[in-house]
Amino acid sequence: MQLFYCKDIAPGALATLDAEESRHAVRVLRKRVGDEVDVTDGRGGLYRCTVVEADERGCVVESLECVNASMCECVSADASATNAITQSHNNALLYYI
């Protein structure tokens, strides 16, 4: 399993992998638009995602589903409670908890 980390991932949302994760995904593993990847938020949430922008400086993924629903529901509830949304450098929406 190829697992990537993004603390700002949320169910059904777009998220941008950091430069190191993006470089590994795009340059080393040669991930392209449409490829599926697994992303963890570091808090127990595991998301199946698809690559929507394959840029080695900021690879954008879209969360398709949460693999372990109980953990993702907790993260989603936290995100709703804080409700802070910001625009990233490549115009992908990120949800901060």
Side-chain angles (χ1 to χ4, degrees), residues 31-52:
K31 296 297 180 185
R32 301 289 178 243
V33 172
D35 288 351
E36 287 193 3
V37 295
D38 293 317
V39 179
T40 182
D41 59 13
R43 296 180 301 262
L46 180 62
Y47 301 85
R48 182 152 301 117
C49 302
T50 187
V51 176
V52 294

Side-chain angles (χ1 to χ4, degrees), residues 13-89:
L14 296 177
T16 304
L17 302 179
D18 68 20
E20 184 178 349
E21 292 285 301
S22 295
R23 193 169 30 263
H24 185 70
V26 176
R27 273 195 132 184
V28 177
L29 300 175
R30 299 176 190 246
K31 296 297 180 185
R32 301 289 178 243
V33 172
D35 288 351
E36 287 193 3
V37 295
D38 293 317
V39 179
T40 182
D41 59 13
R43 296 180 301 262
L46 180 62
Y47 301 85
R48 182 152 301 117
C49 302
T50 187
V51 176
V52 294
E53 186 179 328
D55 183 337
E56 65 183 64
R57 294 165 300 194
C59 183
V60 180
V61 297
E62 180 179 12
S63 174
L64 301 175
E65 69 175 317
C66 180
V67 177
N68 54 346
S70 63
M71 291 307 294
C72 296
E73 288 170 7
C74 294
V75 171
S76 180
D78 289 345
S80 296
T82 57
N83 198 21
I85 302 174
T86 188
Q87 193 78 21
S88 76
H89 70 280

